């Protein structure tokens, strides 16, 4: 009888855990469908998914996603996973931003990838990622800066 009770409790706990994880995954997909306000030039960028844009010449990307984590929880998650990148905390437009920039090589091209975690409501933050060739013209680099500012100002 004890074994039956133990198995029943274990099964109920497992089902409860599975249901919570399943609900969290569903919540993530629902939240990520929400539109993030971004000012970008549609003559240069085309949308390939909600809040995901690529330049028509395939050299630049902008990806913005809502995450169902608080800003502080997301910082801790990043710290536990990505120890090789240097992150800095900044404030701009009334928001706290956790950011990093680093170079990477894709298809023999060097890119600068910038990642931003932007504080929002208590259990919500925005993840913004931009990528541009290292040798991009100054006007393209300024365009990316303006895109980041627009996300900070409009959300």
């Amino acid at each position: 009888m004890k074994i039956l009770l133990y198995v029943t409790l274990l099964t109920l706990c497992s089902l409860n855990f599975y249901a919570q994880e399943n609900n969290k995954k569903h919540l993530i997909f629902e939240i990520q469908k929400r539109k993030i306000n971004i000012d970008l030039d549609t003559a240069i960028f085309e949308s390939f998914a909600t809040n995901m844009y690529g330049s028509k010449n395939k050299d630049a990307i902008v990806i913005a996603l809502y995450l169902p984590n608080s800003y502080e929880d997301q910082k801790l998650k990043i710290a536990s996973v990505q120890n090789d990148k240097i992150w800095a905390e900044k404030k701009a437009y009334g928001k706290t931003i956790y950011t990093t920039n680093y170079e990477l090589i894709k298809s023999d091209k060097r890119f600068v990838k910038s990642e931003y975690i932007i504080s929002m409501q208590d259990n919500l933050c925005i993840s913004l990622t931009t990528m541009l060739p290292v040798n991009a013209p100054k006007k393209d680099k300024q365009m990316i800066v303006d895109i980041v500012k627009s996300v900070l100002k409009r959300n």
Side-chain angles (χ1 to χ4, degrees):
M1 183 68 171
K2 286 181 183 179
I3 294 174
L4 182 60
L5 181 62
Y6 179 72
V7 170
T8 303
L9 285 174
L10 187 60
T11 302
L12 288 174
C13 289
S14 298
L15 288 174
N16 186 36
F17 177 76
Y18 175 77
Q20 287 175 355
E21 286 299 309
N22 217 9
N23 285 340
K24 187 167 184 169
K25 288 178 186 176
H26 180 70
L27 177 64
I28 290 170
F29 290 121
E30 288 303 312
I31 288 173
Q32 289 179 351
K33 287 181 189 176
R34 289 175 47 188
K35 187 81 171 134
I36 294 175
N37 295 318
I38 303 175
D39 291 330
L40 49 76
D41 187 346
T42 56
I44 297 172
F45 287 95
E46 56 190 6
S47 176
F48 57 89
T50 304
N51 303 316
M52 297 181 188
Y53 306 89
S55 63
K56 293 180 180 176
N57 66 2
K58 309 294 186 229
D59 273 353
I61 62 164
V62 175
I63 300 172
L65 300 169
Y66 281 109
L67 300 177
N69 296 331
S70 71
Y71 172 80
E72 292 299 325
D73 286 347
Q74 193 62 29
K75 276 179 44 178
L76 291 172
K77 186 175 180 181
I78 289 167
S80 71
V81 175
Q82 298 182 352
N83 295 326
D84 60 331
K85 297 178 184 81
I86 298 171
W87 288 79
E89 191 166 66
K90 301 176 181 181
K91 291 202 179 266
Y93 304 100
K95 296 195 172 48
T96 307
I97 307 137
Y98 199 48
T99 184
T100 187
N101 297 302
Y102 53 94
E103 284 189 25
L104 61 100
I105 298 173
K106 294 270 185 189
S107 304
D108 296 329
K109 281 185 151 180
R110 290 177 44 223
F111 291 90
V112 173
K113 185 174 181 181
S114 301
E115 297 179 46
Y116 308 85
I117 302 300
I118 303 166
S119 63
M120 298 296 291
Q121 303 163 359
D122 289 339
N123 292 315
L124 196 66
C125 62
I126 292 177
S127 169
L128 176 64
T129 302
T130 63
M131 197 165 73
L132 193 67
V134 169
N135 61 353
K138 188 175 180 177
K139 69 176 180 65
D140 290 354
K141 291 177 182 178
Q142 183 59 47
M143 176 185 61
I144 293 294
V145 168
D146 292 342
I147 289 170
V148 172
K149 285 180 184 178
S150 78
V151 172
L152 292 170
K153 289 179 182 179
R154 297 185 65 206
N155 293 280

